[in-house]
Amino acid sequence: MKDPLTQRLVFLVGLLVAAALAGAVLSPHFLQASTVGYLLQYVPVLGVLGMAQTLVMLSGGPGIDLSIGANMSLVGLAIAGMFGLGVPLLAACAAGLVIGGLLGAVNAVLVCTLRVPSLMATLATFFAYSGLALALTGGTPIGGLPSWFGTLAQGRFIGIPIHMWTVFVPLGIVLHVMLSQTRLGSHIYAAGNDERAAFLSGVKVWHIRFGLYCLSGVIAALAAIMTLSWFQAARPDAGEGMELLSVTIAVLGGAHIFGGIGRISGTVLAVLIVTTLQVALQLANISQAWQLAAIGVLLIGSVMADNAVGERLRARARRNPA
Amino acid sequence: MALLVLCTIFALQSEFFLSERNLTTILRNSVDLGIVCAGMTIVIILGGIDVSVGGILAVSAVLIGRAYQVGMPDWVVVPVGLAAGALLGALNGVIISKSRVPPIVATLGTMYVYLAVLFLVIGGVWISGLPSSLSFLVLGDVAGIPSGALLLAAVYVFAWLLLRRTPWGQRVVAIGCDETAARLVGIRVDRTKIQAYALLGLFAGLAAVLYVARMRNVEVNIGTNIALEAIAATILGGANIRGGVGSLVGALMGVLFIKITQNGLVLIGVSSLWETVVIGSLLVVVLVIDAIETRRAG
């Protein structure tokens, strides 16, 4: 029997094909080469956030980061604000990555050091960060970024957006290799599968989780930089809704909400599915409401399907124990 | 305790804060959140969570609005709103208990679906100019006591009796403490869960009725923050997100805490944009104090 994760990937590829077919049926404009570039424009920001969420969930606990979108808004404002004060843009971006990491570290301290359940801790920081983003700016966006900065998210290389090449794909590969090939990766899975057993066999569960919450903050900062380059302005609500969407993508991609199961490849497929659906419905000029409904049904349906498959596998294992 | 400190600060900063009119305003503004929070407390004690209550409230409200627009009388409209809420809540419960999807994922999914329903029904335009025949429910008063407060009190007494004085309430607590054990002693876990989520849905429907009665319109972004605020209030009130522990009185205090913060900040001249920062930071502080106390006790 194939392992359930591979099955999951096959299922996701099928879903992606189905989504693309739906797009082709719904709109004559969908099956054009330009659609690919247009579609991929939306992928990186959501994609890296989904990866961050997948990592936080993988290490168990159960782990979740609801503050990821608010973190992204706040870092974007910080970068644009620093630039406005005369800091060179690249230095401001570097500082932004550090700020993102620090905001992530606040979550890490709450969840790992103080042992506050992650749902509550990151809910609290979600309020604090998104409130801060709104309050500091009074709700108005900060603009005035140089136009060369737009190249990152607006430029294309062989028809594919540059931030796909420079951020999304490299990050995906690095994280995939880290999870599947390195000791750190297997420790992350171990921590998510059985915290106690992992701890007793010498895995530094605490360090791993602490690091992943910080990493999630840094990745949120990356997303902020891409958004900044795309829109040439920092909006206080740039990351609104991203926290729930990133959870959706991680779960749709096969990450288990209690940890220990999941793959970056699944997350990448899930981002492509969600974006394809959104773009297809958009091109077909169908109300945005249906996009929401489709995402919701997809989310619940994929977890249900997962559970059903898992139960059948377990039943089979009981009948003929190897 | 914290509530008292907060009130003292605001009272010192603004003479208007303690006026009867302002206190009534705070109460009126607390009614929606307070009612939803009573249901949320029960669901959290059960070991669940529902992030879709905002969606339920929105769908109920928009149905109420549409029902009014086609000229239905109050005695039809109100049951429609309540029934819609209870049905959507029960749907959450069925998905969570029958398919074993973790509650946060399931309600995240249904929230998207409910929001879609809202957008489809409302079509991007506010429903406004609704009749005021029910506004006495929130804005009126009985023997000098604001009717909103009476209603809120009634809901909490009802929820408290249900939770602490009936076998059903004991089952809820038992499931929240240890679901497997509860199942083994013969508690019908699935049924209790569906009932609890339906009850929360019913409360969200009631909140929708009161919202429409008070505002006399339905806006596109109705209910957006109420789920997170209700969860925050419940946790501020001492509930444990892992289930088994929680307090209705605490939750009500949490609601007042949030609403007084919102109101007080405006009165002392701080931009209302800061309220989320303050609520979030207070939540962090409460969680940290909690964590330190637990560690000292353990």
Side-chain angles (χ1 to χ4, degrees), chain A residues 113-114 120 123 126 131 289 292 307, chain B residues 99-100 116 228 235 277 291 295:
Chain A
T113 314
L114 294 168
M120 286 204 268
L123 180 70
F126 159 80
L292 291 177
N307 286 351
Chain B
S99 68
R100 308 264 171 84
L228 294 183
I235 293 167
V277 187
R295 181 170 288 188

Side-chain angles (χ1 to χ4, degrees), chain B residues 200-278:
Chain B
L200 173 55
L202 180 73
F203 284 165
L206 180 59
V209 170
L210 298 178
Y211 179 93
V212 174
R214 182 160 59 102
M215 310 299 264
R216 293 169 56 199
N217 64 33
V218 181
E219 31 176 290
V220 183
N221 58 359
I222 178 177
T224 19
N225 276 334
I226 204 160
L228 294 183
E229 280 183 3
I231 296 169
T234 312
I235 293 167
L236 281 173
N240 185 334
I241 203 94
R242 298 194 182 94
V245 182
S247 148
L248 282 164
V249 181
L252 187 56
M253 292 295 128
V255 171
L256 291 177
F257 194 84
I258 289 178
K259 287 300 171 186
I260 287 175
T261 309
Q262 289 175 347
N263 172 278
L265 284 179
V266 174
L267 286 185
I268 62 175
V270 176
S271 155
S272 67
L273 293 170
W274 283 96
E275 72 189 33
T276 338
V277 187
V278 174

